[in-house]
Amino acid sequence: MNQETPVIYLAPFQGITTYTYRECYSKHFPFVDKLYTPFYSSVPTEKGNASKARELEVLQHNHIPVIPQILSKDAGEMLHFANHCHQLGHREINWNLGCPYSRVANKKRGSGMLPHPEMVEEILSGLMSNIPTKLSVKCRLGYHAPTEIESLIPLFNQYHISELTVHARLGIQLYKGAVDWDSLARVVDLVQIPLVYNGDIFSSEDYQTFSRQFPQISRVMIGRGLLTDPFLPSKIKGHSVPGLEDQKILVKKFMEDLYLSYRKHLNDRLNVIGIMKELWANLTFGFENPGKVFGRIKKCHTFDEYETSVAHVFDEYQWVGSDAQLLKTFGNNL
Ligand SMILES: Cc1cc2nc3c(=O)[nH]c(=O)nc-3n(C[C@H](O)[C@H](O)[C@H](O)COP(=O)(O)O)c2cc1C
């Protein structure tokens, strides 16, 4: 097993790990080492999307660095984004080569670019001699086949990508099916740059199993597991964590703070409830009876209904945190 302290990053989620979420999460749970923005498709302007433009000005939340992410297949656009981020003070940007959704992948963007090493080479050769920031990459093993990444790694090595995060699935799998550690093992043999693992770490036991098999990898990016159990990074790092009843009180405080922050930032617009429901779709798996918990939250349409349901859930249901069995079922049903 890996003896180094694990380094843990919060995975980006469009619509969930927003500015408000990152700010609030890092205040209540300061144990991750990097936060990523959900992807930008270009440089946001004050006129086009003022809040997205302003969010990019934030370099860290509660002392945890924020890495801006770009989804693009255009070296010029990426350079423009990198220059803009650099001017704001960022020192790293992340290139999204993992997005699996067909509307993105069919245009050879995100994971849709993985079968095309010639495109990746063209972009890196146009970008890397001028880029003022580090460039890290988040990708999958491939779009159609897990061998696709093997043609890309020599490029990532050659162009000194600062960190390579690999989600150990294919684009066509979306988030379903098992993660492929056999193919990941081949990646480990080829990379000469720091490697970050991503995929299905839902509990500290999952991390330990992973770490026993891949003792050379101490950096992990965690998504759904952390959205479900906000204590997961502390648990993996071996920090002392309160008992389940006290955890529930802290999770409740965090969710209240997040809800009030959203109401403030969104001027009490009712779409706050939709945003909170997205989060509850994950958090519910930290409770003993996820189906009932989410059923209760899902039906809310007003602030009063939401507040009553949340109070009921925290009063009536037991918090179990990162229960690997429940979460695995959930992971495969996304
Ligand atoms: C709704 C949703 C939105 C996502 N948005 C992004 C994104 O903007 N950028 C990105 O790199 N990955 C995105 N992802 C992928 C996650 O960052 C992560 O790689 C994935 O959930 C697998 O990690 P996990 O098994 O730890 O959850 C998204 C995933 C989902 C389900």
Side-chain angles (χ1 to χ4, degrees):
M1 191 153 133
N2 196 326
Q3 296 306 313
E4 284 178 53
T5 309
V7 176
I8 301 180
Y9 303 153
L10 168 61
F13 283 81
Q14 207 61 247
I16 301 179
T17 59
T18 57
Y19 168 90
T20 312
Y21 180 89
R22 298 192 304 269
E23 181 67 22
C24 209
Y25 177 76
S26 58
K27 187 170 105 194
H28 288 260
F29 302 97
F31 296 111
V32 292
D33 300 286
K34 268 187 198 175
L35 302 154
Y36 292 76
T37 70
F39 69 76
Y40 285 80
S41 304
S42 57
V43 174
T45 57
E46 277 287 325
K47 226 170 145 196
N49 190 334
S51 67
K52 272 197 120 181
R54 263 174 252 142
E55 285 175 17
L56 214 45
E57 290 167 15
V58 175
L59 304 183
Q60 37 180 264
H61 292 282
N62 299 298
H63 308 293
I64 303 170
V66 181
I67 313 301
Q69 188 185 65
I70 175 104
L71 178 109
S72 176
K73 59 174 182 181
D74 179 333
E77 187 174 60
M78 288 173 69
L79 189 57
H80 183 36
F81 185 76
N83 281 330
H84 180 73
C85 291
H86 187 251
Q87 269 168 14
L88 294 173
H90 290 283
R91 293 294 168 256
E92 175 185 342
I93 65 162
N94 182 262
W95 188 17
N96 180 328
L97 287 178
C99 183
Y101 295 112
S102 51
R103 66 175 189 280
V104 169
N106 287 347
K107 293 184 196 144
K108 297 187 185 155
R109 302 194 314 150
S111 65
M113 204 191 293
L114 299 175
H116 303 284
E118 70 295 344
M119 282 180 74
V120 174
E121 165 131 55
E122 202 185 317
I123 291 170
L124 290 177
S125 71
L127 182 64
M128 293 312 273
S129 48
N130 296 314
I131 192 168
T133 59
K134 292 191 231 171
L135 181 74
S136 57
V137 167
K138 178 165 182 266
C139 71
R140 291 179 176 237
L141 294 167
Y143 185 69
H144 300 289
T147 43
E148 285 165 14
I149 195 170
E150 291 170 26
S151 311
L152 300 174
I153 291 173
L155 299 171
F156 297 151
N157 289 338
Q158 179 193 334
Y159 285 99
H160 304 292
I161 293 305
S162 62
E163 252 183 355
L164 177 65
T165 301
V166 178
H167 175 65
R169 283 193 174 85
L170 301 174
I172 49 169
Q173 283 182 275
L174 300 176
Y175 297 96
K176 297 190 174 73
V179 281
D180 176 359
W181 286 2
D182 291 340
S183 299
L184 183 72
R186 287 199 296 277
V187 170
V188 171
D189 288 341
L190 295 171
V191 284
Q192 294 157 6
I193 52 178
L195 189 58
V196 181
Y197 172 72
N198 171 239
D200 292 19
I201 301 282
F202 293 123
S203 65
S204 357
E205 294 77 53
D206 287 346
Y207 176 79
Q208 278 155 19
T209 309
F210 172 77
S211 192
R212 270 193 295 275
Q213 194 152 335
F214 292 96
Q216 24 342 33
I217 306 179
S218 59
R219 307 179 194 202
V220 289
M221 178 186 275
I222 304 185
R224 293 163 296 170
L226 182 153
L227 297 178
T228 301
D229 182 353
F231 284 99
L232 185 55
S234 333
K235 291 177 182 173
I236 290 176
K237 286 185 173 181
H239 295 301
S240 68
V241 173
L244 288 174
E245 266 310 302
D246 289 335
Q247 283 181 34
K248 184 160 89 166
I249 293 168
L250 295 170
V251 172
K252 186 175 177 208
K253 276 198 187 137
F254 162 59
M255 290 300 278
E256 277 169 2
D257 196 7
L258 187 59
Y259 166 70
L260 294 176
S261 302
Y262 269 127
R263 284 191 62 171
K264 190 167 158 207
H265 290 163
L266 297 175
N267 297 321
D268 276 341
R269 283 202 300 275
L270 266 180
N271 64 339
V272 169
I273 294 179
I275 297 172
M276 293 307 293
K277 281 182 191 172
E278 290 269 339
L279 191 56
W280 272 100
N282 295 280
L283 191 77
T284 191
F285 290 93
F287 286 87
E288 62 173 339
N289 197 332
K292 284 214 167 132
V293 167
F294 194 54
R296 184 77 205 220
I297 302 289
K298 208 165 54 175
K299 63 182 187 192
C300 303
H301 299 292
T302 64
F303 290 134
D304 278 352
E305 283 169 5
Y306 175 81
E307 286 165 26
T308 307
S309 293
V310 169
H312 176 83
V313 163
F314 280 107
D315 281 348
E316 297 298 322
Y317 293 95
Q318 207 186 325
W319 172 255
V320 290
S322 36
D323 178 313
Q325 259 345 89
L326 285 177
L327 289 164
K328 274 193 179 121
T329 314
F330 151 66
N332 286 332
N333 283 330
L334 241 186

